Amino acid sequence: MSYGSSSPRAPHPTPDGRDAPLDVLVVGGTGVDTVVRVPALPVPLADSVGVGPIREWAGQTGGYVALGCRALGRSVTLLDYVGDDGPGRLLREQLAAGRVDFVALHSPTGTRRAVNLVDAAGRRMSFYDARDPGGQRMPREAYLPLLRRARHVHLTITDFTRHLFDDVEEAGVPVSTDLHDWNGVDEHHREFALRAQYVFLSSAGTRSTTEAVMREVLRAGRARAVVATAGAAGSYVLTRDGDGALLPVPAVTPPAPVVDTNGAGDAYVSGFLHGLLSGRAPHECARLGARAGAHACTGEGGTALIGPAEIEGPLPRTG
């Protein structure tokens, strides 16, 4: 199986960059979103509904996390399968424009797609087409050289990424994952929840059981911190080294009107990882994540990426 880099690497101190340290390795979770802006959700049952311009945005969760970290000045490589098709070309172009090093493996089933319905308040409903064949395994020669250089690995919950955990643990590299709207029960997500050291989830899936699910992940797994995002209600952080209290982190008021919430959660993760790589404590990282997530809501398709100057503020550093 062939693979290669589809965009120039970020600047590195070595001539070819092959042995240079890498801040973040993101694996899986890319694709193209078709965004349809609708009058309201749920959409009324009708033969035809008039909508505004239908747009296509490349990224999805892996792409948005990679683009967000790169916008914050981090060296990033994104590794994933992509199709030799129109959506795949759009994805490559978007990542190249964001200066993300994209190492693309050929997907015979094509590039992942989603159709997202977005209402006037920026809320969304997504229809996801994963496309990945069952039992897919990523060749170790594709990721091991990158893993050995990485300071941090972010594994999306694409099915094949579960098979990387053993090698990530052996390398001793911290790993994060985003469970999105996991209900706290489904086994597909549970393996990621229990094997990652930084676990993100949305309270939209766990609802009234959010705190219980967070505590179970911390009790049964390897997590150093579990973070639950709750939209306009902010987020919550639970750490292994803390006093056992669930720490609320207030939401941040967006700097402009909310346009689209696509990619806001991924921007939160990017802000959090930026703080983590800077040596900040988890609750401080969450505040940076809140800033990044709020900023992302002000543009379409996850394109409103916050920069290092905008995300930094009077937050104390640890140590």
Side-chain angles (χ1 to χ4, degrees):
M1 186 175 294
S2 63
Y3 57 93
S5 177
S6 66
S7 69
R9 292 184 182 274
H12 289 291
T14 56
D16 57 15
R18 288 178 299 177
D19 300 319
L22 176 65
D23 286 330
V24 184
L25 171 62
V26 180
V27 186
T30 63
V32 171
D33 293 328
T34 298
V35 179
V36 184
R37 304 196 70 86
V38 297
L41 288 174
V43 177
L45 181 63
D47 180 69
S48 178
V49 177
V51 298
I54 296 175
R55 307 287 297 276
E56 285 193 319
W57 303 101
Q60 294 192 0
T61 184
Y64 290 147
V65 169
L67 285 164
C69 288
R70 188 70 190 97
L72 286 166
R74 297 297 176 180
S75 56
V76 181
T77 291
L78 171 59
L79 173 62
D80 198 10
Y81 289 93
V82 64
D84 184 15
D85 49 23
R89 289 188 288 275
L90 179 63
L91 178 61
R92 292 170 186 267
E93 291 170 2
Q94 180 67 34
L95 293 170
R99 298 180 300 144
V100 169
D101 178 33
F102 184 30
V103 181
L105 283 67
H106 175 65
S107 171
T109 55
T111 304
R112 302 179 197 94
R113 303 293 305 272
V115 175
N116 297 333
L117 306 184
V118 181
D119 69 8
R123 296 172 300 179
R124 72 162 188 174
M125 182 175 184
S126 182
F127 300 84
Y128 182 56
D129 174 7
R131 292 179 178 253
D132 296 311
Q136 188 175 43
R137 297 287 291 265
M138 180 173 280
R140 297 178 80 230
E141 63 268 23
Y143 63 82
L144 282 180
L146 297 169
L147 177 58
R148 292 174 182 137
R149 292 170 42 213
R151 296 177 60 196
H152 187 93
V153 176
H154 183 74
L155 297 183
T156 65
I157 56 172
T158 313
D159 186 66
F160 65 80
T161 61
R162 70 176 68 250
H163 303 295
L164 275 66
F165 271 114
D166 287 343
D167 286 318
V168 173
E169 290 175 15
E170 183 176 348
V173 183
V175 58
S176 57
T177 195
D178 188 349
L179 307 178
H180 300 285
D181 59 351
W182 183 43
N183 59 10
V185 177
D186 290 348
E187 287 300 319
H188 172 83
H189 301 70
R190 185 172 177 81
E191 181 176 0
F192 290 90
L194 299 187
R195 300 197 70 177
Q197 290 159 307
Y198 296 91
V199 178
F200 301 88
L201 56 90
S202 169
S203 63
T206 49
R207 299 181 183 273
S208 62
T209 65
T210 298
E211 182 174 350
V213 169
M214 294 174 71
R215 292 191 181 281
E216 173 62 14
V217 169
L218 204 64
R219 183 198 66 79
R222 301 178 64 243
R224 298 176 185 172
V226 184
V227 180
T229 56
S235 57
Y236 301 89
V237 180
L238 191 63
T239 64
R240 185 172 298 279
D241 298 330
D243 59 4
L246 185 68
L247 179 68
V249 176
V252 172
T253 302
V258 173
V259 174
D260 185 357
T261 58
N262 283 300
D266 303 313
Y268 184 108
V269 171
S270 299
F272 189 101
L273 296 184
H274 175 67
L276 199 64
L277 290 164
S278 300
R280 287 187 163 103
H283 69 280
E284 296 168 349
C285 296
R287 293 191 178 104
L288 295 179
R291 292 184 183 183
H295 193 277
C297 295
T298 64
E300 288 188 278
T303 58
L305 302 175
I306 196 168
E310 297 164 298
I311 200 172
E312 293 293 347
L315 292 176
R317 291 182 179 274
T318 59

